[in-house]
Structures are given as structure tokens and as C-alpha cells.
Amino acid sequence: MLSVDSIDTYYGQSHILHDVSFEAGTNEVVALLGRNGAGKTTTMRSVMGLTPPRTGTIRFDGTDITGDAPSSIANRGIGYVPQDRRMFPEMTVEENLRMGLGKAPFDPDRMERLFERFPRVGERLDQRAGTLSGGEQQMVAMARALMRDPQLLLLDEPTEGLMPSLIPEIAEITQAIATAGYTIVIVEQNVDLVLDIADRIYLLQNGRIGETVTPEALEQNDAILEEYLGV
Amino acid sequence: MWSLHTPVGTVTLNRAVLLVLFVIALLWPVIGVGDFLLFLGALFLAFGLYGASFDLLYGYTGLLSFGHSVFFGVGAYAATFALMDYGQGAFVGLLVAFLATILIAVGLGLIAVRVKSHGFVIVTILIALIAQRLAETYSGITGGTDGIIVSVPDIWIPLLGEYSVFDPTFRYYFTLGVVLVSLFLMYRLVISPVGLVFRMIRENEQRARMLGYNVTAYKLIAFVASGAFAGIAGALATYINGFINASRFSLIVAGDPVIYTMLGGRSTIVGAVIGAVLIEGAGNYVSQVTDAYQLIVGLLLLVMVVVEPEGLIGLWNRLQRRVKRRVRDSTPTPEVTTDD
Amino acid sequence: MPTGEQILIAVLNGVTWGLIIALIALGLNLIFGLLKVVNLAHGSLYMLGAVGGWFVIGATGSFLVAAVVAPLAVGFLGMVIERVALRPIEEDIPTTLIATFALLIVLDQIGLLVFGPGTRSVSAPIQGSVTLAGITYPLYRLSVAVVSLGLMGALYLFLHRTRYGMWMRGVRQDLEMASALGIPRSQVYVVTFGLGAGLAALAGVLLSPIVGVNHLMGLDILAVAFIVVIVGGLGSLKGVLVASLVYALVENIGTLYITTVDARVLTLSLMIAFVIVRPDGLFEEGLG
Amino acid sequence: MTETVLETVGLTKEFDGFVAVNDVDLELTQGEFRGLIGPNGAGKTTVFNLISGLAEPSSGSVRFNGKEITGLDPHEITSRGMALSFQITSIFPELTVRENVLGALHSGEALSNLLSRYGTDETKLDRVDGLLAQVDLDVHVEKQAGELSHGDRKVLELALALANDPDLLLLDEPTAGLSASETDTIKRLLAELRGTVTIILIEHDVDLVMELVERITVLHNGQVLAEGTPDQIQADERVRKIYFRRDH
């Protein structure tokens, strides 16, 4: 579904990603793990076209999307849940959800079905998104990305910066989405959540993919955890 | 001995070229151009000073002002009133123009530099537009669009005696002298430590502040200095024209120094003078041929802004570099665009 | 002391003018709010609307056709301008500003070339006057005020009830996120500029029977439009409406008590004083 | 006798009901090298902003060199001897490297030299070139700062902060986005500075901090979670837990 082939990404002159390659097959859940500043979020932004790579190629569903505008990448069927949730604060929850459609047509039934997974979102449709709590915003961000029924979902740190009491709930939703058959690339600090849902884990360090492991192997290997995550 | 990489701004004009231009300016009356070209020469020098004063603010400090017409106009009217209502001489008129614009610039500057980032330029537009309306409204004082005829008394030059501003050669040299002194003073300012702070503000305002500079105060200094020289330019233009009207305050006049500077090349001081002479000079001939000269100027400015923001001097330097590289490499290089 | 009738007329004039100013300034502020372009050519687009309308009326004899065709044409021109002249330099406010100044010169000169110097009048499509509480008032002016109000309402509905309007608000609030969700931002930019230009042109057509048509009319209106935009708050549509009404009411009621000249100066002074006290305007944020 | 250079008392910052920094007390003595660490969102950068005057605290106070500086403008604070180095490199790209440092050195006194030409004062030039030699930028003095590599820009950023012989150096992630060898250069420079100037080093790279500093303050959810020597911090269970969020 998604294949990232040796991309190099820069912020201005700053060389962030070095020769990063990874893949996510249909219905696979792959995770990117690494310390702060390892380049995980930049990888996600590269895929979305927000910070396009200078070299390398990104293919989605067999098509080369490298260098395409973010909007055309999204309209190919990629749902994006960014770090920090990025609400449109002055819009209502419902408008935030509709923004998630991009150019896709609105399907009221689909939205209703989403509310089964995110009941709190359905209750607050008319509330301004800027007034929601962090956890509620995270749910809106996830529901927003699911509005278009994406073929690929990019989840950037869904539990980051949330109150500790909310983390299990978001983790549970993430698990539910993962088992619902979406193709997912997830970046997450919460190692336990990742170990539970991922089919494959890419470990990043200083903007490079260090190792590719299965959750089982990672769980057993404290040396790798220590090296890549400082655990 | 060491040299600063960029003694003046980011683009500089070759010293030899500068010298040639200076000699042309100096010999202009001598090479036998007629009275009309002497008149135009003086007028365009005054416009050049107006452009250069704008460059001091925009090119060096990074503050885009669309309200420079206010200083140009205030200087012009202050000098006019000094001459006509108080019977003062031309030098006193210049001094009054200088001081009056400083006063106005301090007042307006205190409003404009307080506003955040792009707010500055918007406030200067507002200032220009309000000044335009006030000048039209108070036509009793400004003479409205009909204007006021200004008669400039003879000027006494120490050691040389009295001269009439109606003498084209004298008028030209008088203007050249005032413009050169003003340009020199501006040049001294931009190479002083204060000028370095101006450029720091242009490059990275926040960092300059975090290094301990009172950025607001320095912006005000740049604004006032720039305004004061625009005021002198306004007074000079009035002496040369012998006429002034309320359209001095129009937004179009506010845009003139922007055009000169963008065409000549910003952060060079002298670029605006070159731009003014070229634009106004060409305009004087082309407008006899076609009515659409302003249209051409507008299109030129548009192309300049979108394609070559460094202006003619930037274009010249770029060509020079390319030629040098060709000569050095002997093999022809492919089309290279330098990214500075 | 002015009579009650005079006061009523002054208020009516103030409200009418305020609504018209607001209509012109709204486009200016819409463009600034979304594209961060300070459009100095906005007055020129308004002028082109009036000039275009004059030609269409001359050709078809129909004011209504002019009010449809001229704004559409100018709106299309606005789209071309955004795409060709502003897109390459977007996000650099000083540079786009100089570019729009260049456009102001170009468009005003085009106006001069096709229309020539001098003012020409346009006859109002609606003649006659109405009597309200004992005073008579030109019916056309009243209609223009009502149409302005209706257009503003329509703009509000467009922004809040249509998908495109929602996209525009979204792009304004978080451009990057909007693109990452699939909102085509270049398309939104082009449409916004076109919409702003079309609104200005429509105002030009509507106003031509009242103020006449002149190739320099853009410069006159630009001053007022800018003042109310800054006082109302950059990007705030609500602020523009309030500031426009206050501006026009103060000036019109002022003329009852002091000379026209002094009333104008008083209004400007009030606006300047307001900007000094609150440099960010009445309402700082919020499109809609 | 050791003097207190910086002291914060009850430093608190709220944004719309969200408490980013909560009741933080810090005390630094002359010559101390302090590390400030904490996971993302712990409030490190907010603390940086509160101390430097970039943000105003909701409550609490900051004293610097024995004087209250709460609520002062950043330029007033920095002109009293505090120097900052930013996480996102903040230099003057179109000025030369030498002009960058010269500008930093001029701080405050530019106006009294209106009639001079900048860069002609030999003592100042010697100091600028000496500083640039110290940080290994002497080969690039005539280059435009914007043409430097990312690593060299970070070094220049540090040189700007050092230009005025500050009493306190506030560093926000000086190695962010650097390669390993570039990080080593910065590390070496910081090690050389140890003891000569009071430093607060804000870092997410815990290893780097452990190697360099004498004392560490750990922030979590805007509060001070722990403070101690690197060894004490490394052994602290609470710190391990917040950093790595493994529950089993």
C-alpha cells in the first residue's frame, strides 16, 4: 500500500531524514519508534507531502506521489492524524469532521457509524473545537481522518500530551481501529500500545532507520530498547 | 587589513561604475545639455534623494513604508511656508523642512513601529491615505490641486556670492550639492554601528531584540532619519518646480520611491537614485510618444517584483558574475541561476 | 440646532454609506484574511467594475445585465491576477504589497486608456423617492443599502453554509492542516481573490449611478476602505461592518453640527485615535 | 563564597486554563552548569521563555544577579548580562559571520558611536576574531552566515550568545538536528565553558546532559519532579517512569 524508498528530507538546510525506507502492506499496522528528534514526525510529514523529501520516492498504491501537493496526496485516500491534533479551533466539531473529507463526498451514514466508535464526538457536534479538552480533540482528530474511509491512516503520537487518565481510552480506540482492518502507520511513545498493535516496528535513530523488528523480538530485547528508546 | 564582506547592504555597485556615474552627474551642465535637461537633471536628483531615503528604511531596516509621500509633502510645504509666509531663504527652508519632517516622523513613527510585523506597512498606507484626504480637505492651506506658486529668493553661497534659482546651471549644482551631502550622510549612517543594527533588524528582528537591542527605538531612528531626508527631497523638488500642490500627498507619490528602489536595487542607497533618473528620464521621452507610459512603468514594476527583486544593480552583478565565470571556465557553463 | 428630520436623513445617509463602504471593504479584508495579501489594487477593481458596467449598459441598455456581467468579468480578472502575479511571490507581505501597487497603476491606466479622463454619469435603474416618517429619500440609495446588506448576508451564508466557505475558513485557521486533509489551497486562494474582486466590482456598478464613473474613483474609495479595515481589524468581517457604519454615521451626523471639512477631519481623527489606542483594531481574529 | 546568579520563585504560567509551568523554584549559583530535562510538553521551553522575558509569568518571580527582572522586556533582560541560544537557529543570514558577532558585541552602545564606522575598532575586532577562533569559525569569518552548514550555524548561534561575556547562558537544545560529529563539536565547546560562566542547558538528549552538567532539574507536567546530580537522577525511579512510560 505504502512504500517509502530511501528518502532524504531537510528542514531548510537541516538534514533530518537520511535514506529512510519502509513499507506498509494492505491491512498492516507498522510503527515507527525512536527517541525525540529521531525523525518520526518528519517521516510522517514527508509522506503527506508537507515537508517533501529532496531525494527518494514515496509510492502509494503503486503510484509515485513524491513531490505531489499535500491536498492531492490526501485525496488519494490517506487520513492524517497529526501531532498536537491540529483542530480548526473556531469551527464546530461537525465542521472539523467535514474538513476531513477533503474533496470526498459527505456520507451521513458513515458519520453516524463513526459516532459509535467516538460517542463523545457525536455528543459535541455543535461545540467549537477550540473549547474541547485535549482528549476530546484527539478523538475529533481521529474521527476526522476516518471520515473519508481512508485506505491508509497515519497516526502521529495519538496519546502524546494527554492527561494520564485519558491515555487508556485513546489507546483502546487506537487498538480498535487497528483491528478494524485499516492500513496504519503509527508513531507512538507508548511502547506498550505499539507492541500490542503493530505487525512490524521500524526503529529510528538520528534520522535513520536502524533496525526493523517484530513486536515479539523487541519485547525480548532490552538492548535494543535501551539503544533506541533509552528505556 | 580586512574588509567587510558587504560594506553597504547585500548588493553593491562596482566602484568604477559609481565613479563614472559621479563624473557624469558632475559634468552634466558642462557637456552642453540644454536648459530643459538641466532642469530635469536637478528634478530627478531630488526624486533620487526621495528614493534613497526610502531605501534607508526598507532596504536596510526591512520596514516597507507606503507613507513616504507624507514626508515628501510635509518637507515641501514646510519649506514653502518658510519661504512664502516668513520670508526665509532657501537654506533655512531646507532646515525647516528637515526639522518639520523629523517632528512629524517622530509622531507617526511612535504609532507605526509599535504595530506588529506587517502592521507597519499597513499603518503607513493608512497614514498616506489620511494625509491625502486631509490635504484635499484643507485646500485653503495646501492650495488643493491648483496649488501654490513658490518663488525662491536668490541663494547666497559663501565665498561665491548670490545666485538665482532660475539660473539652470546654478539650480542643478545646488541640487547636486544638497543631494550628495544627504547621500553621504545616509551612507555614513548605514556603515555606522547603528546601520549594522538596522540590518540586524531586517535580517532577524527577534534575535536583535534578544541580543539586548531596543529594536523599537532603532526602528524609530530609521523611520525618522529616512523621513527627514525625504523632507529635504520634497523641499528641493519644490524649489526646482517653483510649484507645489496637494497631490504631493497622493498614494501614487508614496509609491514612487518604491518603484525607484525596486528598479535600481535595494540596500544600495545609490540604486534608488539610478532608478529615479531612469524611470523619470525615460518617462519624459516615452510619454511624448505614448500615453501608456504609466502602464509600462506599472508592468515593469510588477515584472521586477515577481522576477528580479534585487533590481538593476542585482541584475548587473549577476550578469557580471556570469561573464566572469564564463571567462574563467572557458567552457560554456549551462544556465545557472545563483540563489542569492 | 438641526431638526429631527435632518438628523433622520443624516442617519439614513450614514447607514446607506456605511453599508456600501462595508461591501467594498469586505472583499479587501476577505483577501487579506485568507491570502495575507494587502490588496492596494482593490479600489482599481472597484473602478473597473464601474467602467465595465458603464460599457455594458451602453451596449445592452440594461443595468441588471451590467450588474451581472461586470462583476463576473472582474472576478475572473482577479483570479488571473492571483494565479499569475501573486502566486509566485505569496507569503511575502511586502513583496505582494508592492505587486498590488504595480497592479493599481496598471489597472488605473487601463481604465484611463479605455474610458478616458473625466466623469460620466449613469442613470439609476430605480427612479423616484420614498417618503419615510415625513422625509423623502431617493429610492435607489435605499435599494443599494438593502442590496449591500443582502450581499453581506449571502457572503455570511456562503462562508458558513457551503463547503467552499468552510474550506476558506479552514485554510485561514490552519493552512497546512487543511491541505493535509485534502483541501486544494491554491484553488481556494484563486476563488477567494476572484470573489473579493467580484464584490468590489459589483459595488462599483451599484455605486455608479450615485457617484458617477471615473478612472480615478478607485483611489478615492481605497482610503476609506483601508481605514475601516484597519479600524475593524484585519481579517475580521464583523469588524469591517461595524467600523464602516460608525465611520459613515459620524461623518454624516457631524456635518449637521460642523462644516463638512471639519466633520471629515473629525472622523479621520477619531479613526487615528482609535488605531493608536488599539493598533490591532476592533476585532482581531475570526473570518465570519 | 558562591553567589546566586538566578533565582525563580513559584514561577507559574497558565494558557487558557492549561498550566504549562507550575510553581517552579530554581536557584543557580555562580559558575554552575545546570541541566534542565523533561519529556515533550514538560514545560522546558516555557521556562526558557519566562526567564528570558519572552513570556510573562502568570505568577511568581525571577531574580537575576540579585535584581528582580520579572515583567521586563527581553532586551532589557539580555542587556543585563543574560544571553540566549535558541532551539531554532536564530542568526542574521545575510550578514557575514564576523558582522553577526560584531552586532552581538555592540549591544547597547551602538548609538554612542553614530559617527564611527562599524568594524574599525581594533579591540572589538580582536575580541570578535578571538571568539570566532575559539569556536573554530575563523575560516568562515567573511562568509555570509546563511551559507554556513547547519552545524556551523549552531556554533555561530552559540558565539552570538557568548559575545558579551554573559553572566548567565540560557541554552535551548543547542544540538537539535545535528549530526553526531557536529554534536561532538558543541559538546566540546560546552565542556570548555564549564565553570567559566553560569549555564542552564535545556535538552531532550538525556545522555548529553548527564555527561556535561553538575546538577540536573527534571521537569514533568510543568513541575519540578526531581533535582540532583546526574547519578541521583539516573537512579531516580520516578524519572525513569515518566521518561519511558513502560508500566511493566
Side-chain angles (χ1 to χ4, degrees), chain B residues 289-310:
Chain B
V289 184
T290 164
D291 290 339
Y293 180 61
Q294 284 293 325
L295 185 68
I296 297 170
V297 171
L299 284 171
L300 189 66
L301 177 63
L302 192 59
V303 171
M304 218 67 202
V305 171
V306 178
V307 181
E308 180 54 71
E310 297 287 12

PDB file of all heavy atoms in Angstrom, chain B residues 289-310:
ATOM      1  N   VAL B 289       5.610  59.999 -26.695  1.00  0.00           N
ATOM      2  CA  VAL B 289       5.300  59.075 -27.782  1.00  0.00           C
ATOM      3  C   VAL B 289       3.996  58.335 -27.527  1.00  0.00           C
ATOM      4  O   VAL B 289       3.161  58.184 -28.397  1.00  0.00           O
ATOM      5  CB  VAL B 289       6.461  58.059 -27.966  1.00  0.00           C
ATOM      6  CG1 VAL B 289       6.183  57.170 -29.169  1.00  0.00           C
ATOM      7  CG2 VAL B 289       7.788  58.783 -28.102  1.00  0.00           C
ATOM      8  N   THR B 290       3.827  57.865 -26.295  1.00  0.00           N
ATOM      9  CA  THR B 290       2.633  57.087 -25.975  1.00  0.00           C
ATOM     10  C   THR B 290       2.022  57.531 -24.655  1.00  0.00           C
ATOM     11  O   THR B 290       2.741  57.949 -23.743  1.00  0.00           O
ATOM     12  CB  THR B 290       2.945  55.572 -25.913  1.00  0.00           C
ATOM     13  OG1 THR B 290       1.868  54.930 -25.252  1.00  0.00           O
ATOM     14  CG2 THR B 290       4.228  55.299 -25.173  1.00  0.00           C
ATOM     15  N   ASP B 291       0.715  57.443 -24.556  1.00  0.00           N
ATOM     16  CA  ASP B 291       0.028  57.800 -23.320  1.00  0.00           C
ATOM     17  C   ASP B 291       0.188  56.720 -22.260  1.00  0.00           C
ATOM     18  O   ASP B 291      -0.117  56.919 -21.102  1.00  0.00           O
ATOM     19  CB  ASP B 291      -1.473  57.980 -23.593  1.00  0.00           C
ATOM     20  CG  ASP B 291      -1.727  59.233 -24.412  1.00  0.00           C
ATOM     21  OD1 ASP B 291      -0.842  60.120 -24.403  1.00  0.00           O
ATOM     22  OD2 ASP B 291      -2.787  59.311 -25.054  1.00  0.00           O
ATOM     23  N   ALA B 292       0.641  55.594 -22.705  1.00  0.00           N
ATOM     24  CA  ALA B 292       0.595  54.429 -21.817  1.00  0.00           C
ATOM     25  C   ALA B 292       1.854  54.278 -20.978  1.00  0.00           C
ATOM     26  O   ALA B 292       2.127  53.206 -20.461  1.00  0.00           O
ATOM     27  CB  ALA B 292       0.351  53.167 -22.635  1.00  0.00           C
ATOM     28  N   TYR B 293       2.616  55.400 -20.824  1.00  0.00           N
ATOM     29  CA  TYR B 293       3.884  55.230 -20.112  1.00  0.00           C
ATOM     30  C   TYR B 293       3.706  54.697 -18.694  1.00  0.00           C
ATOM     31  O   TYR B 293       4.414  53.797 -18.254  1.00  0.00           O
ATOM     32  CB  TYR B 293       4.652  56.547 -20.070  1.00  0.00           C
ATOM     33  CG  TYR B 293       5.962  56.398 -19.353  1.00  0.00           C
ATOM     34  CD1 TYR B 293       6.925  55.519 -19.850  1.00  0.00           C
ATOM     35  CD2 TYR B 293       6.223  57.059 -18.166  1.00  0.00           C
ATOM     36  CE1 TYR B 293       8.122  55.334 -19.191  1.00  0.00           C
ATOM     37  CE2 TYR B 293       7.415  56.877 -17.504  1.00  0.00           C
ATOM     38  CZ  TYR B 293       8.358  56.023 -18.021  1.00  0.00           C
ATOM     39  OH  TYR B 293       9.531  55.827 -17.355  1.00  0.00           O
ATOM     40  N   GLN B 294       2.734  55.267 -17.966  1.00  0.00           N
ATOM     41  CA  GLN B 294       2.498  54.795 -16.596  1.00  0.00           C
ATOM     42  C   GLN B 294       2.193  53.302 -16.588  1.00  0.00           C
ATOM     43  O   GLN B 294       2.588  52.568 -15.689  1.00  0.00           O
ATOM     44  CB  GLN B 294       1.331  55.562 -15.971  1.00  0.00           C
ATOM     45  CG  GLN B 294       1.681  56.968 -15.544  1.00  0.00           C
ATOM     46  CD  GLN B 294       2.668  56.975 -14.390  1.00  0.00           C
ATOM     47  OE1 GLN B 294       2.625  56.104 -13.525  1.00  0.00           O
ATOM     48  NE2 GLN B 294       3.571  57.935 -14.381  1.00  0.00           N
ATOM     49  N   LEU B 295       1.467  52.886 -17.616  1.00  0.00           N
ATOM     50  CA  LEU B 295       1.122  51.467 -17.741  1.00  0.00           C
ATOM     51  C   LEU B 295       2.397  50.637 -17.857  1.00  0.00           C
ATOM     52  O   LEU B 295       2.548  49.591 -17.196  1.00  0.00           O
ATOM     53  CB  LEU B 295       0.245  51.278 -18.973  1.00  0.00           C
ATOM     54  CG  LEU B 295      -0.312  49.889 -19.220  1.00  0.00           C
ATOM     55  CD1 LEU B 295      -1.324  49.540 -18.152  1.00  0.00           C
ATOM     56  CD2 LEU B 295      -0.961  49.810 -20.589  1.00  0.00           C
ATOM     57  N   ILE B 296       3.340  51.140 -18.675  1.00  0.00           N
ATOM     58  CA  ILE B 296       4.602  50.420 -18.844  1.00  0.00           C
ATOM     59  C   ILE B 296       5.363  50.379 -17.522  1.00  0.00           C
ATOM     60  O   ILE B 296       5.894  49.338 -17.129  1.00  0.00           O
ATOM     61  CB  ILE B 296       5.448  51.092 -19.945  1.00  0.00           C
ATOM     62  CG1 ILE B 296       4.703  50.999 -21.279  1.00  0.00           C
ATOM     63  CG2 ILE B 296       6.821  50.451 -20.049  1.00  0.00           C
ATOM     64  CD1 ILE B 296       5.314  51.835 -22.381  1.00  0.00           C
ATOM     65  N   VAL B 297       5.397  51.524 -16.810  1.00  0.00           N
ATOM     66  CA  VAL B 297       6.086  51.562 -15.516  1.00  0.00           C
ATOM     67  C   VAL B 297       5.462  50.544 -14.565  1.00  0.00           C
ATOM     68  O   VAL B 297       6.162  49.788 -13.892  1.00  0.00           O
ATOM     69  CB  VAL B 297       6.030  52.976 -14.892  1.00  0.00           C
ATOM     70  CG1 VAL B 297       6.549  52.950 -13.469  1.00  0.00           C
ATOM     71  CG2 VAL B 297       6.841  53.938 -15.723  1.00  0.00           C
ATOM     72  N   GLY B 298       4.135  50.519 -14.526  1.00  0.00           N
ATOM     73  CA  GLY B 298       3.454  49.573 -13.651  1.00  0.00           C
ATOM     74  C   GLY B 298       3.810  48.136 -13.990  1.00  0.00           C
ATOM     75  O   GLY B 298       4.139  47.332 -13.108  1.00  0.00           O
ATOM     76  N   LEU B 299       3.774  47.816 -15.273  1.00  0.00           N
ATOM     77  CA  LEU B 299       4.103  46.453 -15.696  1.00  0.00           C
ATOM     78  C   LEU B 299       5.559  46.117 -15.371  1.00  0.00           C
ATOM     79  O   LEU B 299       5.875  45.025 -14.901  1.00  0.00           O
ATOM     80  CB  LEU B 299       3.844  46.284 -17.193  1.00  0.00           C
ATOM     81  CG  LEU B 299       2.373  46.156 -17.580  1.00  0.00           C
ATOM     82  CD1 LEU B 299       2.208  46.208 -19.092  1.00  0.00           C
ATOM     83  CD2 LEU B 299       1.780  44.856 -17.025  1.00  0.00           C
ATOM     84  N   LEU B 300       6.436  47.115 -15.600  1.00  0.00           N
ATOM     85  CA  LEU B 300       7.855  46.917 -15.302  1.00  0.00           C
ATOM     86  C   LEU B 300       8.040  46.611 -13.817  1.00  0.00           C
ATOM     87  O   LEU B 300       8.768  45.686 -13.434  1.00  0.00           O
ATOM     88  CB  LEU B 300       8.621  48.189 -15.686  1.00  0.00           C
ATOM     89  CG  LEU B 300      10.139  48.101 -15.646  1.00  0.00           C
ATOM     90  CD1 LEU B 300      10.615  47.131 -16.720  1.00  0.00           C
ATOM     91  CD2 LEU B 300      10.766  49.473 -15.881  1.00  0.00           C
ATOM     92  N   LEU B 301       7.379  47.399 -12.981  1.00  0.00           N
ATOM     93  CA  LEU B 301       7.488  47.178 -11.538  1.00  0.00           C
ATOM     94  C   LEU B 301       6.995  45.783 -11.179  1.00  0.00           C
ATOM     95  O   LEU B 301       7.625  45.056 -10.400  1.00  0.00           O
ATOM     96  CB  LEU B 301       6.676  48.247 -10.788  1.00  0.00           C
ATOM     97  CG  LEU B 301       6.640  48.099  -9.261  1.00  0.00           C
ATOM     98  CD1 LEU B 301       8.033  48.250  -8.665  1.00  0.00           C
ATOM     99  CD2 LEU B 301       5.707  49.121  -8.634  1.00  0.00           C
ATOM    100  N   LEU B 302       5.893  45.404 -11.790  1.00  0.00           N
ATOM    101  CA  LEU B 302       5.322  44.092 -11.499  1.00  0.00           C
ATOM    102  C   LEU B 302       6.309  42.980 -11.877  1.00  0.00           C
ATOM    103  O   LEU B 302       6.574  42.062 -11.100  1.00  0.00           O
ATOM    104  CB  LEU B 302       4.009  43.925 -12.270  1.00  0.00           C
ATOM    105  CG  LEU B 302       3.138  42.748 -11.884  1.00  0.00           C
ATOM    106  CD1 LEU B 302       2.755  42.845 -10.424  1.00  0.00           C
ATOM    107  CD2 LEU B 302       1.885  42.704 -12.734  1.00  0.00           C
ATOM    108  N   VAL B 303       6.862  43.097 -13.064  1.00  0.00           N
ATOM    109  CA  VAL B 303       7.830  42.088 -13.514  1.00  0.00           C
ATOM    110  C   VAL B 303       9.055  42.085 -12.603  1.00  0.00           C
ATOM    111  O   VAL B 303       9.568  41.040 -12.207  1.00  0.00           O
ATOM    112  CB  VAL B 303       8.240  42.366 -14.975  1.00  0.00           C
ATOM    113  CG1 VAL B 303       9.399  41.472 -15.381  1.00  0.00           C
ATOM    114  CG2 VAL B 303       7.053  42.145 -15.894  1.00  0.00           C
ATOM    115  N   MET B 304       9.490  43.296 -12.228  1.00  0.00           N
ATOM    116  CA  MET B 304      10.661  43.425 -11.362  1.00  0.00           C
ATOM    117  C   MET B 304      10.410  42.711 -10.027  1.00  0.00           C
ATOM    118  O   MET B 304      11.262  41.974  -9.533  1.00  0.00           O
ATOM    119  CB  MET B 304      10.883  44.919 -11.111  1.00  0.00           C
ATOM    120  CG  MET B 304      12.303  45.347 -11.074  1.00  0.00           C
ATOM    121  SD  MET B 304      13.081  45.198 -12.672  1.00  0.00           S
ATOM    122  CE  MET B 304      14.771  45.110 -12.170  1.00  0.00           C
ATOM    123  N   VAL B 305       9.250  42.969  -9.450  1.00  0.00           N
ATOM    124  CA  VAL B 305       8.945  42.402  -8.137  1.00  0.00           C
ATOM    125  C   VAL B 305       8.869  40.881  -8.222  1.00  0.00           C
ATOM    126  O   VAL B 305       9.392  40.163  -7.375  1.00  0.00           O
ATOM    127  CB  VAL B 305       7.597  42.950  -7.606  1.00  0.00           C
ATOM    128  CG1 VAL B 305       7.171  42.205  -6.368  1.00  0.00           C
ATOM    129  CG2 VAL B 305       7.720  44.413  -7.316  1.00  0.00           C
ATOM    130  N   VAL B 306       8.227  40.389  -9.279  1.00  0.00           N
ATOM    131  CA  VAL B 306       7.997  38.954  -9.350  1.00  0.00           C
ATOM    132  C   VAL B 306       9.250  38.222  -9.820  1.00  0.00           C
ATOM    133  O   VAL B 306       9.544  37.122  -9.373  1.00  0.00           O
ATOM    134  CB  VAL B 306       6.792  38.654 -10.279  1.00  0.00           C
ATOM    135  CG1 VAL B 306       6.559  37.169 -10.398  1.00  0.00           C
ATOM    136  CG2 VAL B 306       5.544  39.338  -9.755  1.00  0.00           C
ATOM    137  N   VAL B 307      10.031  38.850 -10.708  1.00  0.00           N
ATOM    138  CA  VAL B 307      11.145  38.123 -11.324  1.00  0.00           C
ATOM    139  C   VAL B 307      12.519  38.513 -10.790  1.00  0.00           C
ATOM    140  O   VAL B 307      13.361  37.648 -10.558  1.00  0.00           O
ATOM    141  CB  VAL B 307      11.112  38.325 -12.864  1.00  0.00           C
ATOM    142  CG1 VAL B 307      12.234  37.560 -13.518  1.00  0.00           C
ATOM    143  CG2 VAL B 307       9.775  37.895 -13.419  1.00  0.00           C
ATOM    144  N   GLU B 308      12.772  39.797 -10.578  1.00  0.00           N
ATOM    145  CA  GLU B 308      14.132  40.224 -10.208  1.00  0.00           C
ATOM    146  C   GLU B 308      14.094  41.189  -9.030  1.00  0.00           C
ATOM    147  O   GLU B 308      14.281  42.394  -9.195  1.00  0.00           O
ATOM    148  CB  GLU B 308      14.814  40.864 -11.426  1.00  0.00           C
ATOM    149  CG  GLU B 308      16.233  41.370 -11.203  1.00  0.00           C
ATOM    150  CD  GLU B 308      17.177  40.354 -10.644  1.00  0.00           C
ATOM    151  OE1 GLU B 308      17.534  39.440 -11.381  1.00  0.00           O
ATOM    152  OE2 GLU B 308      17.566  40.469  -9.477  1.00  0.00           O
ATOM    153  N   PRO B 309      13.833  40.660  -7.815  1.00  0.00           N
ATOM    154  CA  PRO B 309      13.647  41.555  -6.672  1.00  0.00           C
ATOM    155  C   PRO B 309      14.905  42.341  -6.289  1.00  0.00           C
ATOM    156  O   PRO B 309      14.820  43.285  -5.526  1.00  0.00           O
ATOM    157  CB  PRO B 309      13.217  40.621  -5.535  1.00  0.00           C
ATOM    158  CG  PRO B 309      13.242  39.243  -6.066  1.00  0.00           C
ATOM    159  CD  PRO B 309      13.692  39.256  -7.486  1.00  0.00           C
ATOM    160  N   GLU B 310      16.073  41.975  -6.791  1.00  0.00           N
ATOM    161  CA  GLU B 310      17.278  42.720  -6.430  1.00  0.00           C
ATOM    162  C   GLU B 310      17.478  43.955  -7.306  1.00  0.00           C
ATOM    163  O   GLU B 310      18.445  44.674  -7.158  1.00  0.00           O
ATOM    164  CB  GLU B 310      18.519  41.830  -6.531  1.00  0.00           C
ATOM    165  CG  GLU B 310      18.536  40.643  -5.575  1.00  0.00           C
ATOM    166  CD  GLU B 310      18.789  41.048  -4.133  1.00  0.00           C
ATOM    167  OE1 GLU B 310      18.730  42.245  -3.824  1.00  0.00           O
ATOM    168  OE2 GLU B 310      19.029  40.147  -3.314  1.00  0.00           O
TER     169      GLU B 310
END
